[in-house]
Amino acid sequence: MKKYDACYMDLRENKTLYLTFDEGYENGYTGQILDVLKKYEVPAAFFITGSYFDREQELIKRMLDEGHIVGNHTEHHPNLHKLENPEKMQEELKILDDKYESVFGERMKYMRPPEGEYSPRVLAAAQAAGYKTVFWSFAYKDWQRDVNMGAKHAYDSVTPYLHSGAIILLHAVSKDNAEALGDIILYAREQGYEFKSLDDLQW
């Protein structure tokens, strides 16, 4: 991880948390999530795919306007580890980043490999392309958009597992996450945690 500029948590022993969301497609909840983040002044990072960029530029603009990070989740969401060579891996990142820069005037700094699948080749290719690779130290099964178990289920799936330096992966397609997010934030703060931006994370 360290060799190739990748991380899964902040290894400093302090009570910081990092909220990240993967955005493969929109399911109508990102606006609600952004409302909660704005209300509680919590920064987050949103990792988008090429199809999300093509369809949801207004939401992406809002993310940026409200101080969040937009990261690269590849153009086509392939399993990078299974691609033939580093050039193919980098192409998946570059296609999206070029489109993003053409609209928003900046390059992406962070990438997250689809499915969390990686190898030294994947990490090396991302580093050579100028990215820091961001994994996570906590996630749960929340990406099935037609499976809703209620806000309490999301709250109970997240809050017992908070820990210092945690990078939390949530999927913004989840109604449960959107409805539980405010209570999760309040609980974390009651336990003495502070939410930080990935830009504050030390590798």
Side-chain angles (χ1 to χ4, degrees):
M1 289 280 183
K2 187 173 183 179
K3 178 179 179 180
Y4 293 114
D5 226 7
C7 72
Y8 63 94
M9 63 178 285
D10 189 331
L11 298 177
R12 294 172 293 177
E13 294 192 8
N14 50 27
K15 298 196 76 171
T16 55
L17 299 173
Y18 302 86
L19 265 182
T20 69
F21 296 87
D22 282 3
E23 294 272 21
Y25 50 87
E26 184 54 41
N27 200 30
Y29 302 115
T30 302
Q32 182 179 346
I33 288 168
L34 288 168
D35 289 342
V36 173
L37 296 174
K38 184 175 183 179
K39 176 179 178 180
Y40 293 108
E41 298 181 330
V42 171
F46 294 85
F47 289 89
I48 65 169
T49 61
S51 60
Y52 192 90
F53 175 87
D54 295 338
R55 296 185 179 97
E56 307 296 344
Q57 290 181 22
E58 287 188 16
L59 278 173
I60 295 169
K61 183 177 185 302
R62 183 179 171 192
M63 294 169 190
L64 295 171
D65 288 346
E66 295 180 2
H68 303 297
I69 288 169
V70 175
N72 197 323
H73 202 37
T74 73
E75 174 67 13
H76 299 107
H77 202 263
N79 184 316
L80 294 177
H81 174 60
K82 294 179 180 177
L83 295 183
E84 299 170 8
N85 55 52
E87 289 74 22
K88 290 284 188 183
M89 299 173 192
Q90 291 174 346
E91 182 181 9
E92 273 293 328
L93 299 168
K94 186 177 187 302
I95 292 172
L96 175 55
D97 212 348
D98 286 349
K99 293 194 302 187
Y100 178 82
E101 184 182 30
S102 72
V103 174
F104 297 108
E106 63 183 33
R107 304 292 288 183
M108 296 170 167
K109 296 187 293 185
Y110 304 101
M111 71 82 70
R112 173 168 282 161
E115 303 173 22
E117 289 279 352
Y118 74 99
S119 65
R121 289 189 308 117
V122 172
L123 299 182
Q127 183 188 54
Y131 295 95
K132 295 179 182 291
T133 300
V134 180
F135 293 98
W136 57 89
S137 59
F138 172 79
Y140 79 104
K141 191 174 181 179
D142 64 345
W143 57 85
Q144 294 176 302
R145 61 180 174 179
D146 298 324
V147 178
N148 297 306
M149 302 180 71
K152 185 177 186 303
H153 172 76
Y155 180 90
D156 290 344
S157 296
V158 174
T159 53
Y161 305 103
L162 300 179
H163 59 85
S164 293
I167 298 176
I168 301 166
L169 163 59
L170 299 175
H171 285 79
V173 298
S174 167
K175 179 183 179 184
D176 297 347
N177 288 342
E179 293 181 348
L181 184 59
D183 288 338
I184 291 170
I185 290 169
L186 290 174
Y187 172 84
R189 285 179 168 165
E190 287 170 359
Q191 305 308 308
Y193 290 103
E194 181 180 8
F195 289 92
K196 293 277 196 174
S197 165
L198 288 181
D199 286 341
D200 297 313
L201 194 153
Q202 290 189 8
W203 262 251

